[in-house]
Amino acid sequence: MTLNATTSHTVGPYYHIGLTWLNREDLTVAQTLGERVAITGQVVDGNGDFVNDAMLEVWQANAAGKYDHPEDDQDKPLDPNFEGFGRVPVDAEGRFRFTTIKPGTVEGLKGTTQAPHLVVLVFARGLVKHLLTRIYFDGEPANAADPLLECVPAERRSTLLAKKDAAGVYQWNVILQGTDAETVFFDY
């Protein structure tokens, strides 16, 4: 018997049907430890047009810098009131908003330390596979030594930084393609 590879299929537009029960725009509960932060933004294409069928999936460590995952063997405490996962759809104009906690630093490869960050997967119609990116916090001192940020050209790092506005809400947009401001996406 010979097995042949199958062709790739785009991510959408029907992913909403089976995934909406996982939507969770507030990753916290009252007992969650850590500094609560709200992150808002918009998903747009290379022309600046909003993408109205995107969905963001967020994975992150807790306030101590530990993931709620069996492979995270760091000697840091788990927060029983924080899973570190959420799924956020965009509205008709590509806007999203979610609430979480600012994660702690996480151990990296070869003894490095990763700055507080959120891992974000972007799903949308027309994508062959979801896109992987990160949200870092503008002004965070640990950003200067983050090994992944160091791999990103200095002029592109701003696409990964959420900036706090006057109301204390972090602003971060996803720009899918076509301009110098395109969000940095990572291979995996």
Side-chain angles (χ1 to χ4, degrees), residues 9-20 53 55 123-126:
H9 298 279
T10 60
V11 173
Y14 301 110
Y15 60 82
H16 285 287
I17 295 169
L19 300 179
T20 55
D53 67 347
M55 180 175 56
F123 298 83
R125 175 178 20 108

Side-chain angles (χ1 to χ4, degrees), residues 33-155:
L33 302 174
E35 175 191 351
R36 285 185 175 48
V37 294
I39 300 176
T40 188
Q42 191 173 35
V43 179
V44 298
D45 66 17
N47 295 324
D49 297 328
F50 51 78
V51 177
N52 63 3
D53 67 347
M55 180 175 56
L56 305 180
E57 189 171 278
V58 179
W59 296 87
Q60 70 172 92
N62 66 21
K66 185 170 179 79
Y67 287 93
D68 187 5
H69 192 278
E71 290 185 22
D72 186 342
D73 58 2
Q74 297 180 86
D75 187 22
K76 295 179 179 179
L78 271 178
D79 181 347
N81 299 301
F82 187 72
E83 294 176 352
F85 171 80
R87 188 170 277 158
V88 184
V90 300
D91 67 13
E93 289 156 5
R95 294 179 302 220
F96 63 88
R97 181 184 176 97
F98 63 93
T99 303
T100 187
I101 53 102
K102 187 174 179 184
T105 58
V106 178
E107 291 178 14
L109 297 174
K110 300 179 183 174
T112 61
T113 300
Q114 299 178 57
H117 66 276
L118 312 178
V119 176
V120 179
L121 299 177
V122 180
F123 298 83
R125 175 178 20 108
L127 296 177
V128 175
K129 63 180 185 176
H130 54 270
L131 302 172
L132 174 68
T133 190
R134 285 186 174 190
I135 300 174
Y136 289 89
F137 298 89
D138 191 38
E140 170 62 45
N143 288 349
D146 184 272
L148 189 62
L149 274 177
E150 287 178 348
C151 294
V152 176
E155 66 274 10

